[in-house]
């Protein structure tokens, strides 16, 4: 059975009192259902505003967009082929729980995640010098 991967991640931001008050006013007036709705909308609007730039960077840097699941089988196949993986993802990387630290170090040369990395603490420790 595969573990469920959450579709979002909680973040904390610091806002000034005036900004927070203005957000609260818009929520109370019915423009947004709550503060989080306002903040998600603002973030999506900014992402949309820069969509072309992001697209160009993703292409230029050969970055995978979205979810990348790395299984033990993927790494064993790379090992058998004598390959080292340079993994670059904008989104979420999930390294399977059955991947050993040794196998990860033998097959992952670099790991760049703009977003979230889900892996055991042992794997994160083993790859610490390769994560950027």
């Amino acid at each position: 059975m595969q573990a469920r991967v959450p579709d979002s991640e909680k973040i904390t931001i610091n806002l000034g009192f005036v900004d927070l008050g203005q957000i609260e006013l818009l929520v109370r007036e019915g423009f947004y259902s709550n503060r989080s709705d306002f903040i998600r909308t603002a973030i999506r609007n900014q992402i949309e505003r820069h969509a072309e730039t992001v697209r160009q960077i993703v292409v230029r840097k050969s970055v995978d967009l979205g979810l990348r699941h790395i299984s033990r089988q993927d790494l064993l196949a790379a090992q058998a082929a004598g390959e080292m993986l340079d993994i670059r993802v904008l989104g979420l990387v999930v390294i399977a729980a059955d991947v050993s630290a040794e196998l990860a170090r033998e097959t992952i040369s670099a790991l760049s995640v703009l977003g979230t990395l889900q892996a055991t603490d042992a794997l994160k420790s083993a790859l610490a010098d390769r994560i950027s």
Side-chain angles (χ1 to χ4, degrees), residues 29-56:
E29 291 298 313
F31 289 93
Y32 299 94
S33 59
N34 54 45
R35 292 174 181 176
S36 293
D37 181 37
F38 171 87
I39 292 165
R40 274 191 303 273
T41 301
I43 290 169
R44 287 180 185 136
N45 287 341
Q46 284 300 106
I47 290 170
E48 183 178 321
R49 183 176 177 189
H50 300 288
E52 181 58 24
T53 301
V54 170
R55 188 194 64 73
Q56 290 172 7

Side-chain angles (χ1 to χ4, degrees), residues 73-89:
Q73 293 75 23
D74 295 334
L75 297 182
L76 288 172
Q79 186 180 47
E83 297 175 354
M84 294 287 288
L85 303 178
D86 181 356
I87 300 164
R88 296 181 230 174
V89 175

Side-chain angles (χ1 to χ4, degrees), residues 33 44 60 68 87 106 108:
S33 59
R44 287 180 185 136
R60 186 179 77 236
R68 173 91 185 263
I87 300 164
E106 290 175 1
I108 298 174

